[in-house]
Amino acid sequence: AQSVSQHNHHVILSEAASLELGCNYSYGGTVNLFWYVQYPGQHLQLLLKYFSGDPLVKGIKGFEAEFIKSKFSFNLRKPSVQWSDTAEYFCAVSFSGGYNKLIFGAGTRLAVHP
Amino acid sequence: KAGVTQTPRYLIKTRGQQVTLSCSPISGHRSVSWYQQTPGQGLQFLFEYFSETQRNKGNFPGRFSGRQFSNSRSEMNVSTLELGDSALYLCASRNQGLEQFFGPGTRLTVL
């Protein structure tokens, strides 16, 4: 079955530290990849997306992600986190033929301490 | 442009009852998807509607159903509620691109 794995369930960082959140999926075909963020009390917002082309994609708020097809991975990165990045981060994948069905990872709760 | 709206925002029901949740997509969006979010299972896909037709369905029992109207607004219904149905139900709409825009959700509590 198609699935998405996020390696870290909880991450605690100090401000200015670098962030990398892992995401792997299980599917050998064409995929569309997303990272969503859910700030406390707010709804899911799209951080960035990959459909095709340059595997390094840049999103909002200084986030970027790299698609490595050979590793079935789409890791999220940010060189320097801020306290306002405290949120839950979800990796999601849609598979060819799946129309709009997004399969989400379990999420990573990020806490950034000042 | 207004975002995805969901009503009601909060609901409390008792076991055995049924509930209807409503979703109004972003103007011009014809696709609406529903997701269930729980602490234990995370975000799970329920179903997707496009032009009033269900195009895809997740692995949920038949107690979960939905529909879409000609104005693209969508409703989902859960019959014979169980305690495990307590969750945040999210609606997402999509235009011709692949990006889905999520609403704030309806928090359902089943007592």
Side-chain angles (χ1 to χ4, degrees):
Chain A
Q2 300 148 346
S3 63
V4 178
S5 299
Q6 291 184 237
H7 310 149
N8 314 97
H9 294 295
H10 292 91
V11 173
I12 301 173
L13 294 173
S14 298
E15 276 193 318
S18 63
L19 170 72
E20 180 159 4
L21 301 182
C23 173
N24 286 88
Y25 61 93
S26 63
Y27 183 69
T30 303
V31 293
N32 302 301
L33 301 155
F34 307 83
W35 275 97
Y36 282 88
V37 61
Q38 192 169 35
Y39 297 103
Q42 296 188 27
H43 58 275
L44 277 170
Q45 300 173 41
L46 182 69
L47 269 181
L48 46 76
K49 58 187 182 281
Y50 173 81
F51 298 151
S52 63
D54 188 345
L56 184 63
V57 292
K58 295 191 184 299
I60 61 171
K61 306 187 180 186
F63 287 90
E64 65 178 31
E66 184 176 14
F67 170 49
I68 304 180
K69 189 174 182 179
S70 61
K71 295 186 178 180
F72 301 92
S73 71
F74 189 55
N75 292 353
L76 180 70
R77 299 195 290 251
K78 185 171 184 178
S80 176
V81 295
Q82 301 173 312
W83 175 79
S84 58
D85 293 324
T86 295
E88 189 160 17
Y89 293 81
F90 294 92
C91 179
V93 182
S94 68
F95 303 95
S96 59
Y99 296 103
N100 284 330
K101 178 180 178 178
L102 286 175
I103 297 180
F104 284 86
T108 298
R109 287 188 183 275
L110 171 66
V112 180
H113 292 171
Chain B
K1 194 182 254 190
V4 178
T5 57
Q6 293 187 243
T7 57
R9 293 293 310 279
Y10 301 91
L11 265 179
I12 299 176
K13 293 286 187 179
T14 56
R15 280 180 297 174
Q17 287 188 309
Q18 77 165 22
V19 66
T20 299
L21 313 181
S22 180
C23 171
S24 293
I26 293 171
S27 177
H29 289 197
R30 295 169 60 192
S31 166
V32 172
S33 298
W34 288 89
Y35 294 83
Q36 182 196 64
Q37 186 177 20
T38 61
Q41 300 297 318
L43 281 149
Q44 293 186 287
F45 173 81
L46 280 156
F47 28 64
E48 185 226 348
Y49 286 87
F50 180 82
S51 293
E52 302 179 65
T53 301
Q54 187 181 87
R55 197 160 61 169
N56 208 344
K57 191 177 190 303
N59 295 326
F60 280 81
R63 300 185 296 107
F64 292 81
S65 63
R67 59 178 177 170
Q68 187 180 32
F69 302 95
S70 58
N71 62 357
S72 294
R73 190 178 69 85
S74 177
E75 288 181 348
M76 68 163 280
N77 183 276
V78 188
S79 62
T80 320
L81 284 166
E82 300 177 359
L83 295 179
D85 297 333
S86 294
L88 181 66
Y89 289 89
L90 297 171
C91 169
S93 76
R94 183 182 74 87
N95 56 8
Q96 293 182 356
L98 290 167
E99 178 180 344
Q100 295 188 44
F101 296 85
F102 284 83
T106 294
R107 174 77 61 186
L108 172 65
T109 302
V110 182
L111 303 175

